[in-house]
Amino acid sequence: MHDPRLLSLALGFVACSFLALLLPSSPLSAQSKDQSQDRAAVCARASNEFGFRLFQQIREAKGNLFYSPYSVAVGLAMTRAGADGETAKQMDAVLAAKGLQLPALHAALAKALEPGKLTEGWRKKRKQVPVFTLDVANRIWLQQGLQIGDDFALAQKESYHAPIGRSDFQKTEAARKLINDWVAERTRNKIQDIMPAGLPTPDTLIALGNAIYFKAAWAKEFEGEATKEQAFHRQDGSTIDVPMMNSTKTYAYGESKSAQLLAIPYKGNECEMLLLLPKKGTPLDTLEKQLDAQTAKEWIAQMKPCGVKLTLPKFEMTSSFEISRALQKMGMVDAFDVSKAEFSKISRKEPIVIGPVLHKAFISIDEKGSEAAAATAVMLKLGFERRPENPLHFVADRPFVFAIRHRQTGALLFVGRVADPSKS
């Protein structure tokens, strides 16, 4: 018997991750459309609840922040498929997945996230194109010679469409290059070096990877000539001039006691960017403390179309996290404990624990739209529009929170904070 070994999970995204149970239920094709939509919505709610709880753990990080709740959740769900006993119960609780058959739910959500298509061009040059790009890929690497449980392998292949390959983790640099190259490829080179020097360690047995890439154009682009250098007021009281995009249109708009809310639709109106701007005099920390899945749902529900004069900074950022400590604070304790971890559905011959859990995400916002990517790694050691009259003002000239949301399911693909748009 070897010493407890590490199970590695790598997830990539120019956004997200999610949950799983061991045995997949009947194939999605056998379900009615309504049942499939219901499953997708249940999965999205669980993902959002997990994502906001994770946000409360990582928001203490200073400066800009960006991550993919969906990407992290999927990576952990792939790992959950191999858990048993108290380890499985704790993972279900953290992933908001008690009593849920997550592999089937994830399959339904993945289907619901497939973009619709629009017809572009004239006559013979007419063609159908997706309204946005969302590429999600999963991958598993096994240590050479390791045998894994059939049910665990089946869950990865059928529910997560994750090819299973081999690597020699005792050759750390070669294994690191293998994983990093895969993540970079799946995220259009937006996520580089998710696996830092020294990882994966030689005692790694498995690396599970999820990569997600998102790119979408605004339904109505910002006019480039309207972008101007304007002041952005940072949390420390200092001010910096940054390129600010400006537009006066009809947007979904709402308010709470502490914040203004606005949604910018992407082309096709299937996804949107939500902006949460603390009202003047309200610290960003006060707004962030209020954020959970139920509060966000209530705020979104009360938004209505309004004429708004929007001022929004252009920005680009990359964020990196090691989130194993955050997950333990959320209640996923045994999975990291050599004496308590139960991953017998992966292997009964090798004791397995989770080691480092890595996440890295990228986003870029400009006049044309958004491009986002994220990666997580876990080691198991409208046409013509009339200009609105008397518009409301939404001026994002101070730190704010944002999210990229799939409207039909409500799934939050990305969540972030802009503290300083001049820093990438």
Side-chain angles (χ1 to χ4, degrees):
M1 184 76 71
H2 294 83
D3 291 336
R5 309 291 294 276
L6 297 180
L7 170 64
S8 282
L9 172 82
L11 301 134
F13 169 42
V14 179
C16 243
S17 324
F18 223 71
L19 314 171
L21 262 182
L22 177 65
L23 295 176
S25 59
S26 53
L28 184 61
S29 59
Q31 308 300 321
S32 71
K33 184 176 180 180
D34 287 345
Q35 287 176 317
S36 177
Q37 290 175 345
D38 288 346
R39 285 185 170 192
V42 169
C43 193
R45 285 196 295 269
S47 178
N48 292 351
E49 182 176 337
F50 164 75
F52 277 117
R53 290 180 61 202
L54 180 60
F55 177 78
Q56 293 301 328
Q57 295 296 326
I58 66 176
R59 70 179 184 85
E60 298 301 329
K62 303 297 183 183
N64 296 334
L65 180 153
F66 186 61
Y67 72 108
S68 171
Y70 178 67
S71 178
V72 177
V74 169
L76 291 174
M78 292 169 66
T79 309
R80 161 62 182 85
D84 207 351
E86 186 62 25
T87 299
K89 291 179 182 178
Q90 291 179 6
M91 294 186 77
D92 284 346
V94 169
L95 291 170
K98 289 183 178 179
L100 301 182
Q101 294 186 344
L102 287 171
L105 295 181
H106 280 146
L109 181 55
K111 183 69 175 177
L113 291 175
E114 293 178 359
K117 294 185 177 181
L118 292 176
T119 301
E120 293 186 347
W122 285 90
R123 297 182 179 178
K124 292 183 178 181
K125 293 185 177 181
R126 286 166 66 90
K127 60 180 180 180
Q128 287 194 318
V129 296
V131 295
F132 62 89
T133 299
L134 180 65
D135 289 341
V136 181
N138 300 310
R139 188 81 164 87
I140 293 178
W141 296 271
L142 304 178
Q143 173 60 33
Q144 293 177 3
L146 176 68
Q147 298 300 313
I148 60 174
D150 291 341
D151 289 339
F152 176 74
L154 186 65
Q156 308 308 315
K157 291 180 179 180
E158 292 197 350
S159 297
Y160 299 102
H161 304 287
I164 298 176
R166 296 281 176 177
S167 180
D168 185 355
F169 294 112
Q170 295 183 13
K171 298 178 180 178
T172 297
E173 191 55 36
R176 173 175 176 260
K177 184 178 186 303
L178 180 70
I179 295 170
N180 285 344
D181 286 352
W182 180 82
V183 170
E185 178 186 0
R186 300 305 309 201
T187 60
R188 274 60 161 189
N189 292 316
K190 298 302 179 183
I191 301 296
Q192 299 282 340
D193 297 328
I194 175 68
M195 199 73 64
L199 292 177
T201 53
D203 55 357
T204 297
L205 283 176
I206 308 174
L208 299 89
N210 164 275
I212 180 168
Y213 173 89
F214 173 87
K215 187 173 184 178
W218 303 122
K220 300 285 185 177
E221 293 184 3
F222 290 81
E223 296 180 2
E225 55 269 26
T227 298
K228 301 176 181 179
E229 292 287 319
Q230 294 177 246
F232 186 91
H233 307 280
R234 293 181 288 205
Q235 288 176 282
D236 62 4
S238 62
T239 300
I240 186 171
D241 288 339
V242 298
M244 289 279 199
M245 304 182 294
N246 293 276
S247 177
T248 302
K249 291 185 175 70
T250 298
Y251 294 103
Y253 176 85
E255 292 188 15
S256 71
K257 291 182 179 180
S258 59
Q260 292 179 279
L261 296 86
L262 185 137
I264 311 175
Y266 290 106
K267 187 176 182 180
N269 293 311
E270 294 184 12
C271 293
E272 62 188 6
M273 172 169 281
L274 295 172
L275 305 175
L276 292 81
L277 179 68
K279 290 183 176 179
K280 289 187 176 181
T282 300
L284 180 65
D285 183 67
T286 299
L287 171 61
E288 290 185 346
K289 285 179 179 178
Q290 297 175 3
L291 290 179
D292 58 37
Q294 184 59 34
T295 299
K297 181 181 178 180
E298 293 172 357
W299 285 356
I300 292 169
Q302 55 89 29
M303 297 174 72
K304 297 179 180 180
C306 292
V308 179
K309 184 176 181 181
L310 170 64
T311 298
L312 178 69
K314 296 171 62 172
F315 61 88
E316 180 176 306
M317 69 175 76
T318 300
S319 293
S320 300
F321 304 94
E322 200 291 304
I323 59 174
S324 60
R325 182 169 297 181
L327 294 171
Q328 291 177 68
K329 288 182 178 179
M330 293 167 67
M332 191 185 297
V333 178
D334 287 7
F336 298 89
D337 190 322
V338 172
S339 64
K340 296 180 179 179
E342 298 177 73
F343 288 101
S344 59
K345 293 180 180 179
I346 297 178
S347 175
R348 294 186 179 277
K349 296 182 179 180
E350 298 280 2
I352 295 174
V353 297
I354 296 178
V357 181
L358 310 175
H359 184 73
K360 191 171 186 177
F362 162 90
I363 187 168
S364 176
I365 300 294
D366 63 17
E367 291 89 350
K368 295 184 179 297
S370 303
E371 184 177 27
T376 306
V378 181
M379 310 288 166
L380 289 175
K381 235 157 183 207
L382 302 173
F384 176 78
E385 184 176 3
R386 187 183 300 274
R387 185 180 179 90
E389 296 182 3
N390 302 316
L392 299 168
H393 289 251
F394 190 104
V395 184
D397 63 352
R398 53 194 180 277
F400 60 91
V401 175
F402 68 95
I404 295 177
R405 174 177 177 265
H406 184 254
R407 295 182 65 192
Q408 178 189 334
T409 63
L412 297 177
L413 302 179
F414 305 91
V415 176
R417 172 213 295 149
V418 176
D420 184 344
S422 69
K423 295 184 180 297
S424 58

